[in-house]
Amino acid sequence: MGKRTSYDALDVAVTLLKRREGIDKTMKLARYALILAVSEAETRARRDDSALASTSTAEFIRAGTALERSLGNARRALRLGKFLGNVADLRDVARDAEADGKRGWRRWASAAAACAALEGAYYFLEQGVWLSKAGVTMREKSTLDRLVRWSARAEVASYVFSIACSRDEWRDAARDARDARRALANGDAEGESEEALRARVARAENAKRDAALAMFQDFVDGVLSFEDAVDAPGVEISSERLVNALGLLAAALDFHGKLSAAIETLEEAS
């Protein structure tokens, strides 16, 4: 018999939604699902000649669009102060570099430092976008457009360095799995039991999978943000359906990551 878990779906949902990231990614999934549904409804409405169907479809489009915009604004509000976490990450990267003997600018010369700085800039600028859309300050459309553009540029750049970090994690995990398999094959365990080596291989393979998923997710998110970052005629994905499908895919991957983290937390506690 397999190991019996001491938690259920309700426990997973509660654990997921206790965290800011869990709420954020749940709203992201709902938002992109609505965007896709509303877009498909608009496409059908253009082909539908029935007045009754058109009325019900128009109401769905109105309600879905309102909810989607509300979710977008709520996600921005939920990120209040989130850039401080990136500042802390940047500080920790510098401390680790100093511990390794690096001084001056060399403390910041890493993909991890660049990713933390750029992601922090993105979250900081997103607070400006939120305040502008709420009508609190910087209410001019030209100012909002600039905030959105620079926010997207920082976001896309952060994905580049995030992919570099995930690539390094994948390589480290692949090396660890290879060393553990070699030890199993050659009987050279160096104090580790066969069971421990097999567990080490499993952990390394899981780490490889997570790193690969993270790279794919960052790539998809980067593609979706690239249009806003460049803001130039002709630099866009022509198929709206493809854009919406990619957005939903990215949201699903984000949600899956946070859901898995919630399950791991419960497994560790059980």
Side-chain angles (χ1 to χ4, degrees):
M1 293 179 62
K3 182 181 177 181
R4 184 177 179 181
T5 58
S6 58
Y7 60 88
D8 56 18
L10 179 59
D11 294 320
V12 174
V14 169
T15 302
L16 173 70
L17 297 176
K18 273 183 178 179
R19 302 172 177 176
R20 172 159 62 171
E21 283 293 313
I23 297 173
D24 181 46
K25 302 312 178 187
T26 301
M27 289 196 296
K28 180 179 180 180
L29 181 60
R31 180 173 179 242
Y32 279 96
L34 277 169
I35 289 173
L36 182 60
V38 167
S39 177
E40 292 299 309
E42 288 174 338
T43 301
R44 286 196 303 272
R46 286 192 289 266
R47 299 195 304 257
D48 199 337
D49 295 328
S50 168
L52 180 61
S54 297
T55 300
S56 60
T57 300
E59 176 58 24
F60 171 78
I61 292 171
R62 183 204 64 76
T65 301
L67 181 55
E68 178 268 312
R69 289 176 178 170
S70 177
L71 286 169
N73 290 331
R75 289 188 68 211
R76 288 191 172 95
L78 190 65
R79 293 170 177 173
L80 182 65
K82 190 172 180 180
F83 71 94
L84 295 174
N86 299 108
V87 174
D89 291 340
L90 193 59
R91 177 200 61 192
D92 293 342
V93 168
R95 286 177 175 175
D96 290 342
E98 287 180 350
D100 291 337
K102 297 178 181 178
R103 296 290 184 272
W105 66 269
R106 295 176 62 221
R107 293 178 299 169
W108 318 103
S110 67
C115 181
L118 288 164
E119 191 176 75
Y122 160 67
Y123 284 127
F124 182 78
L125 290 168
E126 277 291 282
Q127 293 186 154
V129 174
W130 166 52
L131 292 172
S132 178
K133 288 193 172 186
V136 175
T137 184
M138 299 179 288
R139 289 173 287 184
E140 298 82 3
K141 186 178 184 304
S142 59
T143 303
L144 175 60
D145 289 343
R146 283 196 298 272
L147 282 170
V148 169
R149 185 162 56 250
W150 282 104
S151 170
R153 288 172 179 173
E155 184 181 15
V156 171
S158 74
Y159 290 140
V160 173
F161 290 101
S162 180
I163 288 172
C165 291
S166 295
R167 181 195 59 190
D168 291 340
E169 291 172 5
W170 188 94
R171 287 177 174 173
D172 291 342
R175 182 170 55 250
D176 193 28
R178 187 171 57 250
D179 291 344
R181 286 196 177 97
R182 185 181 298 119
L184 278 170
N186 299 334
D188 182 20
E190 296 184 357
E192 287 186 90
S193 66
E194 181 176 336
E195 183 181 355
L197 284 171
R198 293 189 185 281
R200 182 175 154 194
V201 170
R203 286 194 302 271
E205 290 298 331
N206 286 338
K208 282 174 60 180
R209 181 202 62 202
D210 291 344
L213 280 174
M215 285 188 283
F216 178 67
Q217 180 182 326
D218 285 339
F219 174 76
V220 173
D221 280 329
V223 169
L224 292 169
S225 302
F226 189 74
E227 181 182 341
D228 287 336
V230 176
D231 192 29
V235 183
E236 59 187 17
I237 301 175
S238 57
S239 173
E240 182 181 359
R241 181 171 289 175
L242 176 59
V243 171
N244 293 337
L246 287 174
L248 185 57
L249 173 61
L253 289 172
D254 254 341
F255 179 79
H256 175 268
K258 301 310 172 188
L259 184 63
S260 297
I263 292 172
E264 287 175 6
T265 298
L266 289 169
E267 287 179 345
E268 291 171 359
S270 62

